[in-house]
Amino acid sequence: MDLVPALEEPLKKVLGPPTAKVMAEHLGLHTVGDLLHHYPRRYEERGQLTHLADLPMDEHVTVVAMVADARLHTFASSKAPRGKGQRLEVTITDGSGRLQLVFFGNGVHKPHKELLPGTRAMFAGKVSVFNRRLQLAHPAYELLRGDSEETVETWAGALIPIYPATAKLESWKIGKAIQTVLPSAQEAVDPLPDTLREGRGLVALPEALLKIHRPHTKADIEDARSRLKWDEAFVLQVALARRRFADAQLPAVARRPAPDGLLTAFDARLPFTLTEGQQKVSKEIFDDLATEHPMHRLLQGEVGSGKTMVALRAMLAVVDAGGQAAMLAPTEVLAQQHHRSIVEMMGELAEGGMLGGAEQATKVVLLTGSMGAAARRQALLDLVTGEAGIVIGTHALIEDKVQFHDLGLVVVDEQHRFGVEQRDALRGKGKQPPHLLVMTATPIPRTVAMTVFGDLETSVLDQLPAGRSPIASHVVPAADKPHFLARTWERVREEVGNGHQAYVVCPRIGDEEDDPKKAGKKKSPEDEAEKRPPLAVLDVADQLAKGPLQGLKVEVLHGRMHPDDKDAVMRRFAAGETDVLVATTVIEVGVNVPNATAMVIMDADRFGVSQLHQLRGRVGRGSAAGLCLLVSEMPEASAARQRLNAVAATLDGFELSRIDLEQRREGDVLGQAQSGARTSLRMLAVIEDEEIIAEAREEAMTVVEADPELQHLPGLRTALDALLDEEREQYLEKG
């Protein structure tokens, strides 16, 4: 009979159903192998204590500390009216700070006996505030005696591993479970080819697993970490390299523009010259389009660097060569805008088959989900006959009904909102795989690009076209200096007085039903102040129109409006009929109103760094200078304010994306935040480990070119299957 390999053994069998259930539900751990790869977050030294002084609020923490004093109080309550209620208050200290523990009711007896002054223990619980002091209510604890056999055995070695834990499972229980399965680490199959491992002086995988969970010295931890980082980086890069290799084997139709065709005619009507950057990137794209393998290129460009122009020229080149081009936008508002601006840029070249159209002209059609039946029928007909050379649309383009005459190029706008499934569905519409150009305005640090978009070649546009103005950004500390906020609205009136327009952005719409689950909970006044709901478009618009912006034409725009209403609001704003547009982040990408010069972002601390950068790019798109005011009530010392100061201090999106990454870690950047799944990077920190990722990429390419099917590397194949199972497949493909 076949034995299940030790690392694939379900935890249910090894640890028993109750523990296994909690591990599966709360930590996503199902097998012995999963548990062995659940690495400690940090280590406590027996002789050193955790810093109680900097505990994070509302987080689940594990601390090692000593009991300073313990007092039992009795009190009267509804449950114990005769003063029989009991509360045990224990103060623990680690030399850097003190923390209050509190136990109630029948829960006081055991800790009252055990937590005597001078006792040392590990405590785990959620940090909360009571009477302005930090406390842990009913924490779980484990005494550190150092005499009882079991404790000494369990916490052998001077370093105590602290694991990412949950309220249901404390760090030391995870530690004990790991001790149980640790012997299986001997059977871990090593994914790294021997030559690579020996060449880089890395320890073997079983040894690395032992050292990460039971280190005797700090050097053990270092050895284990550098080895396990290599595993992650290398396996991921092999997966990407194989995808690149497979894509390169696909056939595609080479698309070379006709010498005096549509592209030449379009360039001739441009009222400006392309920037050097645009010319360089266009050449890279045209070279790719001329080959018989599908192009897979990521075009990164700062907000306003002219990516749409580069993409449009690529689309025209393909139409010139007899193919069709499709541009996929994440929202209807954006699709309509791209359609409008492309038709304007092309003029009579977009009027193919119409009176007054130029002889090289083609038809540019729009296809979105909310179109009327007749318009939709006509658009579908234009696509299948080849009458329309260019189509711009939302996900509606991917539907089964949509057929192309000869799809040659797919342009995807704002990559991070599209999964690979959609890219593939659209690719499948070509007779042969079409070329693919992915555009993103969120600058991605090089390492993230290598880690997430490793299957795409990258082009970067980093200079702004001539005539674009710089944007001045300032933080407005509304709580500390209310007069700054009053001055903000005066500045908006001044911009409008000078013939310009302004945006006011809020985090929320304001017509949401209050969540009954949340309404039931009573909050302390401090909580209320700290956690007031984010400002909402509908409320703010109303207050501004009646107050500081009285007399100006104020309109609202948000995602829950009917598409026609959204479009009408955008049209009026673009035409200059509206002075101030109060909106949610629907304006984050693609909205182009050169006359808008000011933006006020309310509760700016509720947005991410790249989102703020993206929003800010909506102003200063004309010849007048842009102004962006980041309004926040967060105190000066808070991390949120530092983040805002960073945004105000630089317009360099690449610099900001690094700051963003260092602050938020990779989870969000790698698209994991959206899916709620754990990031599959457990050891690797994308920014710090830049070199490892770059080297792993080189090694991976060499391995895949020599042995695309990895026939000689069974260990690597196994690791790859593990990485690519279930959600990991999507993680890789999130793109």
Side-chain angles (χ1 to χ4, degrees):
M1 71 176 220
D2 228 11
L3 286 174
V4 179
L7 271 65
E8 286 167 33
E9 188 82 63
L11 288 173
K12 205 158 51 190
K13 280 193 166 163
V14 190
L15 303 174
T19 310
K21 186 171 182 237
V22 176
M23 287 196 168
E25 282 175 11
H26 294 273
L27 296 168
L29 308 175
H30 304 278
T31 64
V32 168
D34 289 346
L35 183 53
L36 285 174
H37 288 295
H38 186 71
Y39 307 133
R41 180 176 284 160
R42 54 191 172 81
Y43 300 86
E44 283 301 345
E45 290 183 56
R46 270 285 172 79
Q48 277 188 350
L49 297 167
T50 332
H51 288 302
L52 291 181
D54 33 356
L55 285 180
M57 273 297 296
D58 278 346
E59 273 197 32
H60 210 83
V61 299
T62 304
V63 297
V64 177
M66 181 185 277
V67 177
D69 73 26
R71 292 158 193 235
L72 192 60
H73 302 274
T74 52
F75 60 92
S77 70
S78 54
K79 286 188 183 155
R82 291 207 294 279
K84 291 282 170 54
Q86 289 191 311
R87 182 174 78 240
L88 175 65
E89 286 177 8
V90 178
T91 307
I92 58 172
T93 176
D94 65 353
S96 76
R98 297 169 89 79
L99 179 64
Q100 189 94 29
L101 313 178
V102 53
F103 300 88
F104 291 102
N106 295 333
V108 304
H109 305 308
K110 184 166 180 274
H112 190 209
K113 284 210 297 274
E114 296 184 332
L115 297 179
L116 305 171
T119 310
R120 297 202 43 225
M122 298 177 80
F123 301 93
K126 194 168 175 185
V127 182
S128 57
V129 168
F130 182 71
N131 282 343
R132 300 193 172 263
R133 307 229 312 265
L134 291 183
Q135 71 164 23
L136 296 182
H138 281 283
Y141 61 87
E142 174 92 349
L143 301 180
L144 294 176
R145 292 200 182 87
D147 50 15
S148 101
E149 234 353 83
E150 191 228 18
T151 322
V152 176
E153 191 42 49
T154 316
W155 305 114
L159 296 161
I160 302 171
I162 304 291
Y163 290 94
T166 75
K168 297 272 189 294
L169 205 61
E170 294 85 20
S171 168
W172 56 84
K173 289 191 180 153
I174 297 172
K176 285 180 175 165
I178 285 174
Q179 296 299 340
T180 310
V181 300
L182 208 50
S184 309
Q186 292 306 336
E187 296 178 45
V189 183
D190 205 319
L192 297 189
D194 293 346
T195 47
L196 186 158
R197 201 181 51 144
E198 287 155 11
R200 295 191 174 271
L202 299 169
V203 301
L205 183 56
E207 186 183 336
L209 290 171
L210 280 171
K211 283 184 167 173
I212 200 83
H213 292 298
R214 294 191 72 164
H216 292 296
T217 60
K218 289 188 175 163
D220 283 355
I221 301 173
E222 277 316 295
D223 284 354
R225 280 196 172 144
S226 31
R227 161 62 218 239
L228 295 167
K229 279 180 177 182
W230 254 95
D231 275 18
E232 277 175 22
F234 181 70
V235 175
L236 183 59
Q237 292 300 339
V238 167
L240 291 165
R242 287 188 68 191
R243 189 178 167 92
R244 260 197 318 272
F245 185 82
D247 282 340
Q249 311 307 309
L250 295 170
V253 179
R255 309 278 178 177
R256 296 183 184 83
D260 285 316
L262 191 52
L263 182 61
T264 314
F266 174 75
D267 283 349
R269 24 180 340 234
L270 282 181
F272 52 81
T273 50
L274 298 174
T275 64
E276 268 175 53
Q278 285 174 315
Q279 290 174 7
K280 179 176 129 300
V281 170
S282 291
K283 181 179 180 321
E284 292 172 350
I285 292 172
F286 290 156
D287 289 349
D288 283 359
L289 290 174
T291 62
E292 295 185 350
H293 294 294
M295 162 172 85
H296 291 109
R297 191 165 280 282
L298 173 67
L299 172 57
Q300 293 195 57
E302 274 292 6
V303 176
S305 57
K307 290 184 300 296
T308 312
M309 173 61 69
V310 170
L312 175 56
R313 292 184 72 241
M315 297 194 325
L316 295 175
V318 169
V319 175
D320 252 356
Q324 289 169 295
M327 183 182 227
L328 215 56
T331 63
E332 295 212 349
V333 168
L334 254 179
Q336 286 161 342
Q337 285 206 343
H338 277 314
H339 180 253
R340 204 174 312 140
S341 64
I342 283 174
V343 168
E344 276 167 22
M345 285 198 262
M346 288 175 63
E348 71 270 22
L349 296 174
E351 296 169 0
M354 290 187 259
L355 272 175
E359 72 183 285
Q360 302 98 330
T362 185
K363 215 170 182 183
V364 179
V365 301
L366 177 69
L367 189 64
T368 63
S370 65
M371 281 168 81
R376 188 179 168 80
R377 250 199 319 276
Q378 184 58 52
L380 290 171
L381 190 64
D382 288 342
L383 285 180
V384 76
T385 57
E387 190 76 12
I390 294 179
V391 57
I392 293 148
T394 52
H395 291 68
L397 280 179
I398 300 170
E399 288 172 16
D400 294 343
K401 291 194 275 299
V402 182
Q403 288 186 332
F404 291 84
H405 177 64
D406 177 16
L407 180 60
L409 170 68
V410 175
V411 179
V412 178
D413 187 17
E414 279 311 307
Q415 167 65 3
H416 55 272
R417 312 202 181 180
F418 271 132
V420 140
E421 305 77 35
Q422 290 128 323
R423 286 195 331 210
D424 286 346
L426 197 51
R427 273 185 201 165
K429 304 232 175 238
K431 297 188 172 58
Q432 286 197 325
H435 298 281
L436 174 72
L437 180 66
V438 170
M439 300 198 295
T440 172
T442 311
I444 304 163
R446 173 170 157 267
T447 39
V448 181
M450 283 193 309
T451 311
V452 185
F453 301 107
D455 58 331
L456 301 173
E457 298 297 325
T458 307
S459 298
V460 178
L461 272 177
D462 46 14
Q463 57 190 131
L464 292 183
R468 290 300 292 272
S469 308
I471 304 168
S473 307
H474 303 284
V475 178
V476 178
D480 319 346
K481 301 181 180 163
H483 59 284
F484 276 36
L485 186 57
R487 175 76 188 112
T488 297
W489 304 123
E490 285 169 23
R491 280 293 286 123
V492 170
R493 293 195 84 101
E494 285 163 19
E495 290 297 315
V496 174
N498 292 334
H500 297 302
Q501 293 158 281
Y503 297 99
V504 177
V505 182
C506 305
R508 212 163 55 95
I509 296 175
D511 59 356
E512 298 89 345
E513 289 298 305
D514 276 342
D515 186 340
K517 281 204 216 76
K518 289 181 184 160
K521 287 191 181 167
K522 284 227 170 70
K523 289 188 175 160
S524 70
E526 286 146 47
D527 265 7
E528 284 302 330
E530 223 167 79
K531 301 209 177 115
R532 67 162 173 74
L535 292 170
V537 167
L538 301 176
D539 310 341
V540 169
D542 194 42
Q543 289 159 10
L544 291 177
K546 292 178 180 157
L549 301 185
Q550 201 169 358
L552 301 187
K553 182 120 176 45
V554 178
E555 287 213 63
V556 300
L557 178 70
H558 59 74
R560 276 213 287 278
M561 288 163 64
H562 187 278
D564 294 348
D565 298 342
K566 277 196 272 202
D567 204 40
V569 169
M570 268 324 298
R571 274 217 168 89
R572 287 195 291 274
F573 189 65
E577 296 164 25
T578 308
D579 298 320
V580 179
L581 186 62
V582 182
T584 54
T585 52
V586 289
I587 61 156
E588 179 184 348
V589 280
V591 173
N592 188 18
V593 181
N595 191 43
T597 53
M599 174 177 285
V600 180
I601 303 180
M602 307 302 291
D603 278 345
D605 47 89
R606 311 273 178 133
F607 298 98
V609 170
S610 49
Q611 208 174 17
L612 291 169
H613 181 60
Q614 197 76 2
L615 284 164
R616 168 171 69 183
R618 302 294 116 221
V619 295
R621 298 176 79 85
S623 50
L627 172 68
C628 176
L629 300 172
L630 306 165
V631 179
S632 169
E633 293 186 358
M634 294 309 260
E636 189 141 2
S638 63
R641 267 286 283 283
Q642 285 160 7
R643 214 169 59 223
L644 296 181
N645 292 340
V647 174
T650 175
L651 288 172
D652 177 345
F654 286 91
E655 178 53 32
L656 286 175
S657 64
R658 277 190 87 100
I659 293 170
D660 197 17
L661 194 54
E662 279 160 4
Q663 291 198 338
R664 294 189 313 172
R665 296 290 309 216
E666 300 66 47
D668 304 357
V669 183
L670 301 185
Q672 287 294 318
Q674 288 77 5
S675 67
R678 286 174 321 168
T679 157
S680 44
L681 298 187
R682 304 198 180 110
M683 268 292 160
L684 216 51
V686 169
I687 288 278
E688 294 157 33
D689 299 319
E690 196 156 349
E691 279 175 30
I692 295 183
I693 293 170
E695 290 172 12
R697 183 177 181 165
E698 295 295 307
E699 296 270 13
M701 285 183 190
T702 314
V703 166
V704 171
E705 275 164 26
D707 181 4
E709 292 304 307
L710 308 180
Q711 284 169 330
H712 304 298
L713 296 167
L716 179 54
R717 262 214 322 272
T718 311
L720 208 53
D721 294 343
L723 174 77
L724 295 181
D725 65 350
E726 23 123 20
E727 67 206 19
R728 305 284 155 72
E729 187 77 58
Q730 296 158 3
Y731 150 76
L732 245 195
E733 318 242 297
K734 264 287 186 316

